[in-house]
Amino acid sequence: MNQNQEQKPIGLRDKILHVLLFFRDRFDLHEGKEDELETIDYVKKNIEFRGANLWILIFAIFVASVGLNVNSTAVIIGAMLISPLMGPIMGIGMAAGINDFELLKRSLKNLGIAVLISILTSTIYFSFTPLIDAQSELLARTEPSIWDVLIALFGGLAGIVAGSRKEKSNAIPGVAIATALMPPLCTAGYGLATGNLYYFFGAFYLFFINSVFISLSTYLIVRFMKFPKKEFLDRDREKTVKRYITIFTLLTVVPSIYLAYNIVTRTFWEKNAKQFITMEMDFPRAQIIASTYLYDADSSSIEISMVGQRIDDEEIARLQNKLKAYSLTKTYLKIKQSGDGTPDLNLLRSDVLKDLYERNELLIQNKDQKISFLENELSQYTESSKQVLDLANEAKINHSSLVSFSLNRAIIADVLENKQDTILMAYAKFRQRPSAQERKRFEDWLKIRTKADTVSLIIQ
Protein backbone atom coordinates (compact mmCIF):
# COMPACT_ATOMS: atom_id res chain seq x y z
CA MET A 1 0.00 0.00 0.00
CA ASN A 2 2.78 2.38 0.86
CA GLN A 3 4.64 1.33 -2.27
CA ASN A 4 1.68 2.26 -4.49
CA GLN A 5 1.37 5.60 -2.75
CA GLU A 6 5.05 6.32 -3.47
CA GLN A 7 4.60 5.53 -7.20
CA LYS A 8 1.70 7.99 -7.73
CA PRO A 9 3.75 11.22 -7.51
CA ILE A 10 6.28 9.71 -9.95
CA GLY A 11 3.49 8.97 -12.45
CA LEU A 12 2.13 12.51 -12.12
CA ARG A 13 5.57 14.01 -12.72
CA ASP A 14 5.97 11.85 -15.79
CA LYS A 15 2.67 13.09 -17.17
CA ILE A 16 3.62 16.72 -16.56
CA LEU A 17 7.01 16.14 -18.16
CA HIS A 18 5.34 14.47 -21.14
CA VAL A 19 3.00 17.47 -21.60
CA LEU A 20 5.91 19.90 -21.32
CA LEU A 21 7.93 17.95 -23.89
CA PHE A 22 4.90 17.89 -26.20
CA PHE A 23 4.49 21.65 -26.09
CA ARG A 24 8.25 22.26 -26.39
CA ASP A 25 8.29 20.10 -29.51
CA ARG A 26 5.29 21.93 -30.94
CA PHE A 27 6.68 25.42 -30.29
CA ASP A 28 10.31 24.68 -31.15
CA LEU A 29 11.61 27.44 -33.45
CA HIS A 30 14.70 25.46 -34.38
CA GLU A 31 12.74 22.93 -36.41
CA GLY A 32 12.78 23.87 -40.09
CA LYS A 33 15.20 26.71 -39.36
CA GLU A 34 17.54 27.92 -42.09
CA ASP A 35 21.25 28.04 -41.35
CA GLU A 36 21.90 31.18 -39.28
CA LEU A 37 24.48 32.51 -41.74
CA GLU A 38 22.02 32.05 -44.62
CA THR A 39 19.37 34.00 -42.67
CA ILE A 40 21.86 36.79 -41.97
CA ASP A 41 22.73 36.95 -45.68
CA TYR A 42 19.01 36.97 -46.52
CA VAL A 43 18.48 40.02 -44.31
CA LYS A 44 21.61 41.76 -45.63
CA LYS A 45 20.46 41.40 -49.26
CA ASN A 46 17.27 43.34 -48.53
CA ILE A 47 19.00 46.26 -46.80
CA GLU A 48 20.57 48.12 -49.71
CA PHE A 49 18.55 50.79 -51.57
CA ARG A 50 20.22 51.12 -54.92
CA GLY A 51 19.19 50.86 -58.57
CA ALA A 52 16.02 48.81 -59.10
CA ASN A 53 15.29 48.56 -55.36
CA LEU A 54 15.23 52.35 -55.05
CA TRP A 55 12.99 52.78 -58.10
CA ILE A 56 10.58 50.16 -56.75
CA LEU A 57 10.39 52.16 -53.52
CA ILE A 58 9.62 55.40 -55.43
CA PHE A 59 6.91 53.74 -57.52
CA ALA A 60 5.42 52.12 -54.42
CA ILE A 61 5.31 55.53 -52.68
CA PHE A 62 3.47 57.02 -55.66
CA VAL A 63 0.97 54.15 -55.60
CA ALA A 64 0.43 54.51 -51.83
CA SER A 65 0.04 58.30 -52.17
CA VAL A 66 -2.62 57.86 -54.84
CA GLY A 67 -4.38 55.29 -52.64
CA LEU A 68 -4.43 57.69 -49.70
CA ASN A 69 -5.52 60.54 -51.98
CA VAL A 70 -8.54 58.67 -53.38
CA ASN A 71 -9.20 56.80 -50.11
CA SER A 72 -8.72 53.35 -51.67
CA THR A 73 -7.74 50.64 -49.17
CA ALA A 74 -7.02 48.11 -51.93
CA VAL A 75 -4.50 50.42 -53.63
CA ILE A 76 -2.75 51.12 -50.30
CA ILE A 77 -2.44 47.40 -49.60
CA GLY A 78 -0.99 46.84 -53.06
CA ALA A 79 1.62 49.55 -52.46
CA MET A 80 2.63 47.97 -49.14
CA LEU A 81 3.16 44.64 -50.89
CA ILE A 82 5.53 46.30 -53.38
CA SER A 83 7.44 48.26 -50.75
CA PRO A 84 10.97 47.07 -49.77
CA LEU A 85 11.04 49.12 -46.53
CA MET A 86 11.14 46.10 -44.19
CA GLY A 87 14.72 45.24 -45.17
CA PRO A 88 16.79 47.91 -43.37
CA ILE A 89 14.48 47.91 -40.33
CA MET A 90 14.99 44.18 -39.79
CA GLY A 91 18.68 44.73 -40.55
CA ILE A 92 18.94 47.09 -37.56
CA GLY A 93 17.51 44.45 -35.21
CA MET A 94 19.69 41.75 -36.73
CA ALA A 95 22.83 43.90 -36.40
CA ALA A 96 22.11 44.62 -32.73
CA GLY A 97 21.48 40.93 -32.07
CA ILE A 98 24.76 39.66 -33.58
CA ASN A 99 26.97 42.61 -32.55
CA ASP A 100 27.63 43.65 -36.17
CA PHE A 101 28.33 47.38 -35.97
CA GLU A 102 29.09 47.72 -39.69
CA LEU A 103 25.74 46.12 -40.54
CA LEU A 104 24.05 48.47 -38.07
CA LYS A 105 25.57 51.56 -39.71
CA ARG A 106 24.67 50.29 -43.18
CA SER A 107 21.10 49.55 -42.11
CA LEU A 108 20.66 52.99 -40.52
CA LYS A 109 22.13 54.69 -43.57
CA ASN A 110 19.83 52.88 -46.01
CA LEU A 111 16.80 53.40 -43.79
CA GLY A 112 17.58 57.13 -43.74
CA ILE A 113 17.87 57.18 -47.54
CA ALA A 114 14.58 55.28 -47.88
CA VAL A 115 12.75 57.63 -45.50
CA LEU A 116 14.12 60.75 -47.21
CA ILE A 117 13.23 59.49 -50.71
CA SER A 118 9.77 58.37 -49.55
CA ILE A 119 8.85 61.68 -47.92
CA LEU A 120 10.28 63.67 -50.86
CA THR A 121 8.34 61.57 -53.39
CA SER A 122 5.03 61.83 -51.53
CA THR A 123 5.55 65.59 -50.99
CA ILE A 124 6.02 66.07 -54.73
CA TYR A 125 2.87 64.10 -55.48
CA PHE A 126 0.67 65.91 -52.94
CA SER A 127 2.04 69.27 -54.13
CA PHE A 128 0.59 68.71 -57.61
CA THR A 129 -2.52 66.60 -57.04
CA PRO A 130 -5.83 68.48 -57.47
CA LEU A 131 -7.37 66.43 -54.62
CA ILE A 132 -6.20 68.22 -51.48
CA ASP A 133 -8.78 67.04 -48.91
CA ALA A 134 -7.52 64.65 -46.23
CA GLN A 135 -9.46 61.39 -46.54
CA SER A 136 -10.16 58.91 -43.73
CA GLU A 137 -7.32 56.56 -44.75
CA LEU A 138 -4.87 59.44 -44.52
CA LEU A 139 -6.21 60.79 -41.22
CA ALA A 140 -5.89 57.33 -39.67
CA ARG A 141 -2.08 57.63 -39.99
CA THR A 142 -1.68 60.92 -38.12
CA GLU A 143 -1.73 59.61 -34.56
CA PRO A 144 -0.37 56.27 -33.21
CA SER A 145 -2.29 54.14 -30.74
CA ILE A 146 -1.53 51.12 -28.56
CA TRP A 147 -2.77 48.89 -31.38
CA ASP A 148 -0.06 50.20 -33.71
CA VAL A 149 2.56 49.27 -31.10
CA LEU A 150 1.19 45.74 -30.73
CA ILE A 151 0.91 45.27 -34.50
CA ALA A 152 4.52 46.39 -35.03
CA LEU A 153 5.81 44.16 -32.21
CA PHE A 154 3.99 40.96 -33.19
CA GLY A 155 4.35 41.69 -36.89
CA GLY A 156 8.11 42.05 -36.47
CA LEU A 157 8.25 38.77 -34.54
CA ALA A 158 6.37 37.01 -37.35
CA GLY A 159 8.64 38.59 -39.94
CA ILE A 160 11.96 37.47 -38.48
CA VAL A 161 10.64 33.99 -37.63
CA ALA A 162 9.42 33.56 -41.22
CA GLY A 163 12.70 34.93 -42.56
CA SER A 164 14.70 32.36 -40.59
CA ARG A 165 12.89 29.38 -42.18
CA LYS A 166 14.31 27.20 -44.96
CA GLU A 167 11.07 27.55 -46.88
CA LYS A 168 10.08 31.22 -47.08
CA SER A 169 6.35 31.75 -46.58
CA ASN A 170 4.04 34.66 -47.40
CA ALA A 171 4.51 36.04 -43.87
CA ILE A 172 6.92 38.80 -44.96
CA PRO A 173 4.41 40.46 -47.35
CA GLY A 174 1.78 40.02 -44.65
CA VAL A 175 3.99 41.78 -42.13
CA ALA A 176 4.55 44.62 -44.61
CA ILE A 177 0.77 45.05 -44.89
CA ALA A 178 0.04 44.70 -41.17
CA THR A 179 2.72 47.08 -39.92
CA ALA A 180 1.84 49.65 -42.62
CA LEU A 181 5.21 51.36 -42.96
CA MET A 182 4.51 53.25 -46.19
CA PRO A 183 1.23 55.10 -45.46
CA PRO A 184 2.71 57.07 -42.53
CA LEU A 185 5.59 58.29 -44.71
CA CYS A 186 3.12 59.30 -47.45
CA THR A 187 1.02 61.10 -44.85
CA ALA A 188 4.13 62.91 -43.63
CA GLY A 189 4.71 64.04 -47.23
CA TYR A 190 1.10 65.25 -47.35
CA GLY A 191 1.73 67.26 -44.18
CA LEU A 192 4.74 68.96 -45.76
CA ALA A 193 2.95 69.61 -49.06
CA THR A 194 -0.03 71.23 -47.31
CA GLY A 195 1.97 72.95 -44.57
CA ASN A 196 0.26 70.92 -41.84
CA LEU A 197 3.03 70.09 -39.37
CA TYR A 198 0.62 68.26 -37.06
CA TYR A 199 0.03 65.67 -39.78
CA PHE A 200 3.74 65.52 -40.57
CA PHE A 201 4.97 64.91 -37.02
CA GLY A 202 2.05 62.62 -36.14
CA ALA A 203 2.61 60.40 -39.19
CA PHE A 204 6.40 60.37 -38.79
CA TYR A 205 5.96 59.46 -35.11
CA LEU A 206 3.80 56.49 -36.19
CA PHE A 207 6.48 55.36 -38.65
CA PHE A 208 9.14 55.71 -35.94
CA ILE A 209 7.06 53.61 -33.52
CA ASN A 210 6.56 50.88 -36.13
CA SER A 211 10.27 50.84 -37.05
CA VAL A 212 11.46 50.70 -33.43
CA PHE A 213 9.22 47.79 -32.47
CA ILE A 214 9.93 45.79 -35.63
CA SER A 215 13.66 46.21 -34.94
CA LEU A 216 13.13 45.31 -31.27
CA SER A 217 11.21 42.14 -32.10
CA THR A 218 13.91 41.14 -34.60
CA TYR A 219 16.58 41.68 -31.92
CA LEU A 220 14.67 39.54 -29.40
CA ILE A 221 14.22 36.59 -31.79
CA VAL A 222 17.87 36.75 -32.92
CA ARG A 223 19.01 36.65 -29.29
CA PHE A 224 16.51 33.92 -28.38
CA MET A 225 17.57 31.68 -31.29
CA LYS A 226 21.26 32.33 -30.42
CA PHE A 227 22.43 33.51 -33.80
CA PRO A 228 26.24 33.47 -34.02
CA LYS A 229 27.72 36.79 -33.04
CA LYS A 230 30.35 38.47 -35.13
CA GLU A 231 33.85 37.48 -34.10
CA PHE A 232 36.74 39.93 -33.76
CA LEU A 233 40.43 39.21 -33.81
CA ASP A 234 41.10 42.38 -31.88
CA ARG A 235 39.64 42.09 -28.35
CA ASP A 236 39.67 45.83 -27.82
CA ARG A 237 37.73 46.32 -31.05
CA GLU A 238 35.22 43.70 -29.93
CA LYS A 239 34.69 45.46 -26.59
CA THR A 240 34.22 48.81 -28.35
CA VAL A 241 31.67 47.35 -30.77
CA LYS A 242 29.76 45.63 -27.96
CA ARG A 243 29.71 48.89 -26.03
CA TYR A 244 28.30 50.77 -29.03
CA ILE A 245 25.72 48.04 -29.66
CA THR A 246 24.69 48.06 -26.00
CA ILE A 247 24.31 51.85 -25.99
CA PHE A 248 22.30 51.73 -29.22
CA THR A 249 20.08 48.94 -27.84
CA LEU A 250 19.40 50.86 -24.65
CA LEU A 251 18.71 54.05 -26.61
CA THR A 252 16.18 52.07 -28.64
CA VAL A 253 14.58 49.90 -25.97
CA VAL A 254 14.25 52.44 -23.13
CA PRO A 255 12.50 55.13 -25.23
CA SER A 256 10.31 52.48 -26.85
CA ILE A 257 9.10 51.30 -23.44
CA TYR A 258 8.45 54.91 -22.45
CA LEU A 259 6.61 55.62 -25.70
CA ALA A 260 4.56 52.44 -25.37
CA TYR A 261 3.63 53.36 -21.80
CA ASN A 262 2.52 56.84 -22.85
CA ILE A 263 0.48 55.47 -25.76
CA VAL A 264 -1.23 52.93 -23.49
CA THR A 265 -1.96 55.61 -20.89
CA ARG A 266 -3.36 58.00 -23.50
CA THR A 267 -5.51 55.25 -25.05
CA PHE A 268 -7.11 54.40 -21.71
CA TRP A 269 -7.53 58.11 -20.89
CA GLU A 270 -9.37 58.77 -24.18
CA LYS A 271 -11.58 55.73 -23.60
CA ASN A 272 -12.52 56.99 -20.13
CA ALA A 273 -13.10 60.53 -21.45
CA LYS A 274 -15.52 59.28 -24.13
CA GLN A 275 -17.31 57.14 -21.54
CA PHE A 276 -17.61 60.18 -19.26
CA ILE A 277 -19.23 62.26 -22.00
CA THR A 278 -21.63 59.44 -22.92
CA MET A 279 -22.71 58.73 -19.35
CA GLU A 280 -22.66 62.17 -17.71
CA MET A 281 -23.32 64.74 -20.43
CA ASP A 282 -26.75 63.75 -21.69
CA PHE A 283 -28.95 66.87 -21.46
CA PRO A 284 -32.53 66.95 -22.82
CA ARG A 285 -32.38 70.60 -23.98
CA ALA A 286 -28.71 70.86 -24.98
CA GLN A 287 -26.67 69.06 -27.59
CA ILE A 288 -22.94 68.37 -27.94
CA ILE A 289 -21.81 69.39 -31.42
CA ALA A 290 -18.03 68.92 -31.02
CA SER A 291 -15.58 67.33 -28.59
CA THR A 292 -11.78 67.50 -28.43
CA TYR A 293 -9.46 65.38 -26.29
CA LEU A 294 -6.05 66.84 -25.41
CA TYR A 295 -3.93 64.40 -23.40
CA ASP A 296 -0.89 65.41 -21.40
CA ALA A 297 0.70 63.47 -18.57
CA ASP A 298 0.60 66.52 -16.27
CA SER A 299 -2.50 68.37 -17.44
CA SER A 300 -5.13 66.97 -19.82
CA SER A 301 -8.30 68.64 -21.03
CA ILE A 302 -11.65 67.76 -22.52
CA GLU A 303 -13.15 70.54 -24.63
CA ILE A 304 -16.89 70.35 -25.32
CA SER A 305 -18.89 72.64 -27.62
CA MET A 306 -22.65 72.74 -26.96
CA VAL A 307 -25.75 74.43 -28.31
CA GLY A 308 -29.17 74.74 -26.72
CA GLN A 309 -30.07 75.50 -23.12
CA ARG A 310 -27.08 76.77 -21.15
CA ILE A 311 -25.58 74.69 -18.34
CA ASP A 312 -25.08 76.66 -15.13
CA ASP A 313 -21.80 76.90 -13.21
CA GLU A 314 -23.03 74.56 -10.49
CA GLU A 315 -23.65 71.78 -12.99
CA ILE A 316 -20.23 72.35 -14.59
CA ALA A 317 -18.59 72.09 -11.16
CA ARG A 318 -20.45 68.84 -10.53
CA LEU A 319 -19.21 67.44 -13.85
CA GLN A 320 -15.65 68.51 -13.03
CA ASN A 321 -15.82 66.61 -9.73
CA LYS A 322 -17.21 63.56 -11.54
CA LEU A 323 -14.05 63.21 -13.63
CA LYS A 324 -12.22 61.42 -10.81
CA ALA A 325 -14.84 58.66 -10.83
CA TYR A 326 -13.76 57.86 -14.39
CA SER A 327 -10.00 57.82 -13.54
CA LEU A 328 -9.58 61.18 -15.28
CA THR A 329 -7.14 62.70 -12.83
CA LYS A 330 -5.32 65.90 -13.75
CA THR A 331 -8.01 66.54 -16.34
CA TYR A 332 -9.77 69.86 -16.86
CA LEU A 333 -13.25 70.09 -18.37
CA LYS A 334 -13.84 73.07 -20.64
CA ILE A 335 -17.38 73.64 -21.92
CA LYS A 336 -18.10 76.16 -24.69
CA GLN A 337 -21.76 77.16 -24.82
CA SER A 338 -23.83 79.21 -27.23
CA GLY A 339 -24.00 82.84 -26.22
CA ASP A 340 -20.79 82.90 -24.19
CA GLY A 341 -18.92 84.95 -26.80
CA THR A 342 -16.53 82.15 -27.83
CA PRO A 343 -15.53 82.92 -31.45
CA ASP A 344 -15.13 79.28 -32.53
CA LEU A 345 -18.46 78.27 -31.04
CA ASN A 346 -20.27 81.29 -32.42
CA LEU A 347 -18.84 80.56 -35.84
CA LEU A 348 -19.89 76.92 -35.56
CA ARG A 349 -23.33 77.92 -34.34
CA SER A 350 -23.63 80.35 -37.22
CA ASP A 351 -22.76 77.56 -39.67
CA VAL A 352 -25.31 75.23 -38.08
CA LEU A 353 -28.06 77.88 -38.21
CA LYS A 354 -27.15 78.78 -41.78
CA ASP A 355 -27.35 75.12 -42.77
CA LEU A 356 -30.73 74.74 -41.06
CA TYR A 357 -32.03 77.93 -42.72
CA GLU A 358 -30.90 76.82 -46.18
CA ARG A 359 -32.49 73.41 -45.72
CA ASN A 360 -35.77 74.90 -44.48
CA GLU A 361 -35.74 77.48 -47.26
CA LEU A 362 -35.38 74.71 -49.81
CA LEU A 363 -38.22 72.78 -48.19
CA ILE A 364 -40.40 75.90 -48.22
CA GLN A 365 -39.65 76.47 -51.88
CA ASN A 366 -40.53 72.87 -52.70
CA LYS A 367 -43.77 73.14 -50.73
CA ASP A 368 -44.65 76.40 -52.47
CA GLN A 369 -44.06 74.77 -55.83
CA LYS A 370 -46.24 71.82 -54.89
CA ILE A 371 -49.02 74.09 -53.61
CA SER A 372 -48.85 76.22 -56.78
CA PHE A 373 -49.02 73.13 -58.97
CA LEU A 374 -51.99 71.68 -57.06
CA GLU A 375 -53.81 75.02 -57.10
CA ASN A 376 -53.30 75.25 -60.85
CA GLU A 377 -54.59 71.71 -61.36
CA LEU A 378 -57.59 72.41 -59.12
CA SER A 379 -58.30 75.64 -60.99
CA GLN A 380 -58.22 73.87 -64.33
CA TYR A 381 -60.46 71.11 -63.01
CA THR A 382 -62.97 73.65 -61.60
CA GLU A 383 -62.92 75.62 -64.83
CA SER A 384 -63.50 72.47 -66.86
CA SER A 385 -66.41 71.49 -64.61
CA LYS A 386 -68.09 74.91 -65.07
CA GLN A 387 -67.62 74.77 -68.85
CA VAL A 388 -69.29 71.39 -69.32
CA LEU A 389 -72.92 72.61 -69.18
CA ASP A 390 -72.21 75.74 -71.26
CA LEU A 391 -70.39 73.72 -73.89
CA ALA A 392 -73.15 71.10 -73.93
CA ASN A 393 -75.82 73.76 -74.60
CA GLU A 394 -73.71 75.37 -77.38
CA ALA A 395 -73.06 71.99 -78.96
CA LYS A 396 -76.78 71.17 -78.86
CA ILE A 397 -77.46 74.18 -81.12
CA ASN A 398 -75.14 72.92 -83.85
CA HIS A 399 -75.79 69.22 -83.31
CA SER A 400 -79.45 68.63 -82.59
CA SER A 401 -79.02 64.86 -82.11
CA LEU A 402 -76.64 65.35 -79.12
CA VAL A 403 -77.99 63.57 -76.03
CA SER A 404 -75.24 63.92 -73.40
CA PHE A 405 -71.82 65.50 -73.13
CA SER A 406 -68.88 65.22 -70.69
CA LEU A 407 -65.50 66.98 -70.51
CA ASN A 408 -62.59 66.26 -68.18
CA ARG A 409 -58.79 66.16 -67.94
CA ALA A 410 -57.16 62.72 -67.67
CA ILE A 411 -53.60 61.43 -67.07
CA ILE A 412 -52.35 59.23 -69.88
CA ALA A 413 -49.41 56.86 -69.21
CA ASP A 414 -47.11 56.12 -72.16
CA VAL A 415 -45.89 52.57 -71.41
CA LEU A 416 -43.34 52.49 -74.22
CA GLU A 417 -41.56 55.74 -73.28
CA ASN A 418 -42.28 55.34 -69.54
CA LYS A 419 -43.76 58.81 -69.09
CA GLN A 420 -47.16 60.41 -68.46
CA ASP A 421 -49.09 63.40 -69.82
CA THR A 422 -52.36 65.24 -69.19
CA ILE A 423 -54.92 65.29 -71.99
CA LEU A 424 -58.45 66.78 -72.41
CA MET A 425 -61.01 64.01 -72.92
CA ALA A 426 -64.56 64.61 -74.21
CA TYR A 427 -67.48 62.20 -74.40
CA ALA A 428 -70.49 62.81 -76.62
CA LYS A 429 -73.57 60.62 -77.08
CA PHE A 430 -75.87 61.12 -80.09
CA ARG A 431 -79.31 59.68 -80.93
CA GLN A 432 -77.95 58.93 -84.38
CA ARG A 433 -74.30 58.22 -84.99
CA PRO A 434 -72.83 61.36 -86.69
CA SER A 435 -71.07 61.24 -90.03
CA ALA A 436 -67.30 61.62 -90.32
CA GLN A 437 -67.74 65.21 -91.52
CA GLU A 438 -70.00 66.11 -88.56
CA ARG A 439 -67.59 64.40 -86.14
CA LYS A 440 -64.69 66.44 -87.59
CA ARG A 441 -66.68 69.67 -87.31
CA PHE A 442 -67.63 68.86 -83.67
CA GLU A 443 -63.97 68.08 -82.74
CA ASP A 444 -62.59 71.28 -84.37
CA TRP A 445 -65.22 73.41 -82.59
CA LEU A 446 -64.31 71.76 -79.25
CA LYS A 447 -60.56 72.53 -79.69
CA ILE A 448 -61.26 76.19 -80.45
CA ARG A 449 -63.77 76.53 -77.64
CA THR A 450 -61.53 74.91 -74.94
CA LYS A 451 -58.29 76.36 -76.35
CA ALA A 452 -56.70 72.90 -76.18
CA ASP A 453 -54.02 71.64 -78.59
CA THR A 454 -55.38 68.13 -78.60
CA VAL A 455 -58.73 66.66 -77.57
CA SER A 456 -59.48 62.97 -77.26
CA LEU A 457 -63.11 62.65 -78.38
CA ILE A 458 -65.17 59.54 -77.73
CA ILE A 459 -68.39 59.32 -79.81
CA GLN A 460 -71.26 56.99 -78.98
CSV table of all heavy atoms in Angstrom, one decimal, residues 14 55 205 307 398-399:
chain,number,residue,atom,x,y,z
A,14,ASP,N,5.7,12.3,-14.4
A,14,ASP,CA,6.0,11.8,-15.8
A,14,ASP,C,5.0,12.4,-16.8
A,14,ASP,O,5.3,12.8,-17.9
A,14,ASP,CB,5.9,10.3,-15.8
A,14,ASP,CG,7.1,9.7,-15.2
A,14,ASP,OD1,8.1,10.4,-15.0
A,14,ASP,OD2,7.0,8.5,-14.8
A,55,TRP,N,14.1,52.4,-57.2
A,55,TRP,CA,13.0,52.8,-58.1
A,55,TRP,C,11.7,52.1,-57.7
A,55,TRP,O,10.6,52.7,-57.8
A,55,TRP,CB,13.3,52.4,-59.5
A,55,TRP,CG,14.2,53.4,-60.2
A,55,TRP,CD1,15.6,53.3,-60.5
A,55,TRP,CD2,13.9,54.8,-60.6
A,55,TRP,NE1,16.1,54.4,-61.1
A,55,TRP,CE2,15.0,55.4,-61.1
A,55,TRP,CE3,12.7,55.5,-60.5
A,55,TRP,CZ2,15.1,56.7,-61.6
A,55,TRP,CZ3,12.7,56.8,-61.0
A,55,TRP,CH2,13.9,57.4,-61.5
A,205,TYR,N,5.9,60.1,-36.4
A,205,TYR,CA,6.0,59.5,-35.1
A,205,TYR,C,5.4,58.0,-35.2
A,205,TYR,O,6.0,57.1,-34.6
A,205,TYR,CB,5.1,60.3,-34.1
A,205,TYR,CG,5.1,59.7,-32.7
A,205,TYR,CD1,6.2,59.3,-32.1
A,205,TYR,CD2,3.9,59.7,-32.0
A,205,TYR,CE1,6.2,58.8,-30.8
A,205,TYR,CE2,3.8,59.2,-30.7
A,205,TYR,CZ,5.0,58.8,-30.1
A,205,TYR,OH,5.0,58.3,-28.8
A,307,VAL,N,-24.7,73.5,-27.9
A,307,VAL,CA,-25.7,74.4,-28.3
A,307,VAL,C,-27.0,74.0,-27.6
A,307,VAL,O,-27.2,72.9,-27.2
A,307,VAL,CB,-26.0,74.5,-29.8
A,307,VAL,CG1,-24.8,75.0,-30.6
A,307,VAL,CG2,-26.4,73.1,-30.4
A,398,ASN,N,-75.7,73.3,-82.6
A,398,ASN,CA,-75.1,72.9,-83.8
A,398,ASN,C,-75.4,71.4,-84.2
A,398,ASN,O,-75.3,71.0,-85.3
A,398,ASN,CB,-73.6,73.2,-83.9
A,398,ASN,CG,-73.3,74.7,-83.7
A,398,ASN,OD1,-74.0,75.5,-84.3
A,398,ASN,ND2,-72.3,75.0,-82.9
A,399,HIS,N,-75.6,70.7,-83.1
A,399,HIS,CA,-75.8,69.2,-83.3
A,399,HIS,C,-77.0,68.8,-82.5
A,399,HIS,O,-77.0,68.5,-81.4
A,399,HIS,CB,-74.6,68.4,-82.8
A,399,HIS,CG,-73.3,68.9,-83.4
A,399,HIS,ND1,-72.8,68.4,-84.6
A,399,HIS,CD2,-72.4,69.8,-83.0
A,399,HIS,CE1,-71.6,69.0,-84.9
A,399,HIS,NE2,-71.4,69.9,-83.9
